[in-house]
Amino acid sequence: MISHKEPRQIEQFINKQEKLANHCSYGIGGRAEYFASPRSITELVELLRYCSQQGLEYTIFGIGSNVLFSDQPSANIMYVSLKELLQFDVKDNEWFVSAGIPMSMLALAGELIQSEDFQFTHLLPGSFGAGIYMNAKYYHGQIGDVISRVYYLDMAEPSLEIKSIPVEECKYGYKQSIFQEKPWIVLGADITVEDYPSLSETEIESILERYMLMKDNKSNLMQFHAFFSGEMKRLSQPETPIFIQEIEEYRSKNKHFINHSCGSYFKNNYDIGQSIGALVDHLQMKGTTYGGAMISPHHGNMLINVNDATAGDILHLQRIISEAIYKEYGFIPEPEVQIIK
């Protein structure tokens, strides 16, 4: 179900000296020598071949809601954002959703057909591709539960042909997938929706057009929250579903969209029986600051950018949390955030 838009010349979508802080929810990152945001699979494939020809390494990310960029990016890396790879196709009871679509768009699509299956993605920051990669979850819902087939490029094969894999073979677990083990670039996935009315493609395209008007604010958490909360309120009249209300209240209570951050910084260790946030709270570390960074006073597993923090500031707080948890509980927490140098 993947379509190919008319490609631009490669010079039209490669930027030089691009500030990476503008492409992540942390608002942190120095200037990249090479940056690109392809709008189609064709452009992405052309870009990857260009990197090979020029001897450039590359790093792929989506909206940038779960990454921490270096203050001094490598000069030999092409930083590739897929946040402009926006495609939402509807055919009968099957959707194809591309990697750059925000996960929260699924909650809006679900509301249009009165399905509760996608409510867990409401206000879940990040692109669908990143969600597929890490099996993003909230409460009891996870991406691996709602998709049927994933499309990808295998970077180990020079042909760069589009391949696919059924969800049953994706090795999904808690924030785990086969995509973390392979040199694959996720392009999107099929979603099969049964026993509900057909989704209005016109309506979802209208929402997507309004989202596209956000331009470079797609990585800004405040703009993200305003857009998706507003769209959900518009669609769920006269009464917002209870779980959606609970998500809104939880995010508001913990000030998730007040400061630049990547949400939860560490993966939870369920062998311990408590969340990382609870452990940090027990250690009385909430509110600790270093440079322009702070351990959120509202949520112990959030490291926030409160005053022009650097990547070094965030990494320092990561270290002191890791050391404190290891000393008290005997393990080193694994970062959920992808640290890109």
Side-chain angles (χ1 to χ4, degrees):
M1 297 179 71
I2 294 178
S3 65
H4 297 266
K5 296 179 181 178
E6 187 67 27
R8 299 168 291 175
Q9 294 295 317
I10 195 164
E11 296 81 8
Q12 294 178 287
F13 62 93
I14 294 180
N15 297 334
K16 298 289 189 70
Q17 292 297 309
E18 183 75 14
K19 193 173 182 180
L20 292 175
N22 295 331
H23 299 282
C24 65
S25 60
Y26 249 136
I28 292 173
R31 292 191 179 275
E33 184 66 27
Y34 303 99
F35 173 89
S37 190
R39 295 177 183 171
S40 68
I41 305 301
T42 303
E43 289 187 355
L44 174 59
V45 169
E46 183 180 356
L47 179 67
L48 294 171
R49 287 178 174 154
Y50 173 85
C51 289
S52 178
Q53 293 164 2
Q54 300 297 317
L56 292 172
E57 297 179 27
Y58 59 84
T59 186
I60 308 284
F61 59 99
I63 298 172
S65 66
N66 203 43
V67 298
L68 176 63
F69 290 119
S70 170
D71 301 314
Q72 297 179 317
S74 172
N76 197 48
I77 292 181
M78 176 76 74
Y79 292 82
V80 183
S81 169
L82 300 185
K83 66 181 175 180
E84 301 294 337
L85 196 62
L86 302 171
Q87 185 181 340
F88 200 126
D89 294 337
V90 179
K91 185 178 181 181
D92 299 325
N93 67 335
E94 190 166 74
W95 308 341
F96 170 75
V97 183
S98 66
I101 294 285
M103 282 185 285
S104 295
M105 197 72 72
L106 298 182
L108 299 179
E111 187 62 21
L112 285 169
I113 62 172
Q114 297 298 294
S115 168
E116 298 180 356
D117 295 346
F118 307 98
Q119 289 182 352
F120 76 95
T121 68
H122 180 58
L123 299 186
L124 194 60
S127 65
F128 186 49
I132 293 168
Y133 177 87
M134 67 177 295
N135 194 23
K137 72 184 295 291
Y138 178 78
Y139 201 56
H140 295 309
Q142 56 188 8
I143 291 296
D145 293 338
V146 299
I147 61 178
S148 57
R149 177 169 292 273
V150 178
Y151 298 87
Y152 65 93
L153 297 175
D154 185 347
M155 299 310 298
E157 297 190 4
S159 64
L160 293 181
E161 293 180 358
I162 297 172
K163 297 188 174 184
S164 69
I165 183 172
V167 67
E168 294 81 8
E169 298 177 15
C170 289
K171 297 185 181 179
Y172 276 129
Y174 171 62
K175 298 189 178 180
Q176 293 181 335
S177 76
I178 193 173
F179 307 104
Q180 298 169 14
E181 306 170 2
K182 303 285 187 178
W184 297 350
I185 298 175
V186 174
L187 303 176
D190 288 336
I191 296 175
T192 302
V193 184
E194 298 178 341
D195 303 323
Y196 290 100
S198 295
L199 177 65
S200 167
E201 191 161 15
T202 301
E203 181 66 24
I204 199 68
E205 284 179 355
S206 176
I207 296 172
L208 191 53
E209 286 175 2
R210 290 193 290 276
Y211 172 74
M212 291 169 70
L213 292 175
M214 292 172 64
K215 297 183 179 178
D216 285 339
N217 287 328
K218 294 184 183 71
S219 301
N220 183 291
L221 287 179
M222 300 74 173
Q223 295 290 335
F224 162 84
H225 178 233
F227 179 84
F228 284 101
S229 285
E231 290 291 326
M232 181 59 74
K233 288 175 184 175
R234 181 182 66 83
L235 293 180
S236 61
Q237 296 297 330
E239 187 174 2
T240 304
I242 293 175
F243 188 41
I244 296 295
Q245 293 181 40
E246 291 174 351
I247 292 172
E248 290 274 358
E249 291 168 2
Y250 174 79
R251 301 287 193 188
S252 176
K253 175 185 175 183
N254 288 289
K255 313 295 183 184
H256 282 191
F257 304 116
I258 300 300
N259 298 106
H260 299 293
S261 79
C262 278
S264 294
Y265 194 89
F266 296 99
K267 294 180 182 179
N268 286 318
N269 182 343
Y270 287 107
D271 292 337
I272 299 299
Q274 296 184 75
S275 69
I276 297 297
L279 300 185
V280 173
D281 193 10
H282 292 162
L283 292 169
Q284 299 183 337
M285 298 180 72
K286 289 196 300 187
T288 301
T289 61
Y290 184 84
M294 174 187 288
I295 301 173
S296 171
H298 307 286
H299 193 299
N301 197 12
M302 287 179 62
L303 308 185
I304 58 179
N305 175 3
V306 293
N307 188 21
D308 295 327
T310 65
D313 295 341
I314 297 292
L315 292 173
H316 180 83
L317 289 182
Q318 173 189 321
R319 284 193 294 272
I320 66 171
I321 289 174
S322 296
E323 290 169 2
I325 287 179
Y326 179 74
K327 181 178 179 180
E328 185 70 20
Y329 300 102
F331 76 98
I332 298 175
E334 180 183 355
E336 176 180 323
V337 171
Q338 302 295 306
I339 300 168
I340 300 179
K341 298 181 180 179

